[in-house]
Amino acid sequence: MGSALDGRHALITGGGTGIGAAAARHLSGEGAKLSLLGRRIDPIQAVADELEATAIQCDVTDPDRVGSAFDEARAANGPIDCLIVNAGIAESAPFHKTTRESWDRIVATNLTAAFDCARAAIGDLLKSDSGRLVFVASVASLRGVPYAAHYAASKHGLLGLMRSLAAEYAKTSLTVNAVCPGYVDTPMTDQSVARVSEITGRSADDSRSIITNMNASGRLVDPEAIANVIAMLCLPLSRDINGAAITLDGGTTA
Ligand code: NDP
C-alpha cells in the first residue's frame, strides 16, 4: 500500500481485535499514526506494539473517560484526522426475555458511546483538511433481526447518527460514512456461534455453519475486507463519499 495517510492521526475504538485490529493494520499501511482504545489492555497493546501505535485503555461507555482518553491520544499523536467508531457488543435473546439491563448495555456501547466519541473528536475532525468519521454499523442497521431487537435498534440508530452528521457537515472537508458488515470472522461471531451451540445443543461446527449460511455467500466476511473499505473511506480522494452506508455481506441484502 502507499502512504496516502502519511502523518494523519487515526483513532480506532475497539482496535485490539477483529475488525478494529484489521483496520489498524490497513490504516498503518497507509502511513497513519494510530491510537487504539479498548477495555482490555492486552489486545490493544499487542496491536500497538506491532504497529508502533498508542494503546489507551478506555471503556467508551464512560463519557468522562472518553474525554480524557481522547486527550491522551492527542497528546501522543496530535489532532485526530480520522475517527473509526468500531467498539461494539452483541447479545441475543427472544424479545420477551430481553432485559432492560441488556438493552441499556447494548445501546450504551453501540449508540450512546458512538455519540460521545464523535462529540469528543468533532473539533479536530472539522479542523483537519480531510477529516474522516467512519462508523462500523451492521446489516442489522438495515433490517430487523429476530432475537436481537436491541442490537438491531442500536445499529439502526448508528445510521441515523451517521446520516445526520453527514448532512450537517456536508459543506465542510469532513466526511461521515458507515460500513455495514454481514457476519464477519471475528471474536464477536465466535461468541454468536457459542450462543447458538448453547441454546440449540448443536455442535460447534454445525452452529458455525448456521451462522455462516446467514450470509448469502455461505462464507464469513474477512475482517480484512471491512478494513480495506474503512481505509479507502479515509483517503483524501474519498472526499465525495459522504453519508454512505456500504454493505459488505456477500449479497444477503441485495
Ligand atoms: P470484536 O468483539 O472482536 O470487537 C469488538 C471490540 O470492541 C473489541 O475489541 C472490544 O474490546 C471493544 N469494545 C467492546 N465494548 C467496549 C467498550 N465498552 N469500550 C471500549 N471498547 C469496547 O468483534 P468485531 O470486530 O466483529 O466487532 C467490531 C464491530 O463490528 C462491532 O461494532 C460490531 O457490532 C460490528 N459488526 C460485527 C459483525 C460480526 O459479524 N462480527 C457484523 C456486523 C457488525 P474490549 O472487550 O477489550 O473492550
Side-chain angles (χ1 to χ4, degrees):
M1 280 183 123
S3 50
L5 300 178
D6 242 349
R8 289 179 181 275
H9 177 194
L11 187 154
I12 307 174
T13 66
T17 62
I19 295 167
R25 293 190 181 97
H26 277 246
L27 290 165
S28 173
E30 289 287 359
K33 295 180 286 184
L34 295 169
S35 300
L36 310 175
L37 272 59
R39 289 169 301 182
R40 291 164 296 158
I41 189 68
D42 289 351
I44 48 173
Q45 192 60 59
V47 178
D49 289 347
E50 176 193 328
L51 303 176
E52 294 181 24
T54 307
I56 302 170
Q57 195 165 23
C58 170
D59 181 339
V60 292
T61 63
D62 175 348
D64 292 338
R65 181 60 193 133
V66 166
S68 61
F70 277 48
D71 283 345
E72 286 171 38
R74 277 185 202 99
N77 295 311
I80 300 159
D81 299 290
C82 308
L83 172 62
I84 317 302
V85 177
N86 164 73
I89 54 168
E91 295 177 20
S92 61
F95 182 65
H96 69 281
K97 289 190 180 164
T98 301
T99 61
R100 174 62 195 267
E101 289 71 26
S102 175
W103 170 274
D104 285 346
R105 219 170 14 248
I106 295 278
V107 171
T109 309
N110 296 354
L111 184 55
T112 308
F115 163 82
D116 285 327
C117 289
R119 277 281 310 273
I122 195 69
D124 284 358
L125 294 175
L126 289 170
K127 277 184 210 130
S128 172
D129 58 11
S130 48
R132 297 289 181 263
L133 175 47
V134 181
F135 293 104
V136 179
S138 169
V139 290
S141 301
L142 306 169
R143 56 179 162 78
V145 184
Y147 309 112
H150 45 3
Y151 182 78
S154 71
K155 292 291 188 179
H156 273 67
L158 204 49
L159 280 199
L161 176 62
M162 178 279 286
R163 289 187 176 120
S164 302
L165 299 185
E168 188 164 336
Y169 296 117
K171 289 205 162 51
T172 74
S173 53
L174 169 65
T175 69
V176 189
N177 294 288
V179 289
C180 296
Y183 280 98
V184 188
D185 193 1
T186 69
M188 181 179 279
T189 295
D190 295 341
Q191 286 161 20
S192 303
V193 168
R195 269 198 305 271
V196 169
S197 217
E198 191 186 311
I199 292 163
T200 65
R202 289 172 201 260
S203 69
D205 280 355
D206 285 355
S207 304
R208 183 164 287 272
S209 138
I210 289 170
I211 297 273
T212 299
N213 282 307
M214 287 182 183
N215 287 347
S217 59
R219 57 169 193 270
L220 295 178
V221 181
D222 187 337
E224 295 294 323
I226 316 289
N228 183 50
V229 173
I230 292 172
M232 180 275 288
L233 288 170
C234 289
L235 298 177
L237 203 54
S238 298
R239 69 176 188 188
D240 289 309
I241 307 176
N242 188 37
I246 301 178
T247 304
L248 295 99
D249 71 342
T252 312
T253 48

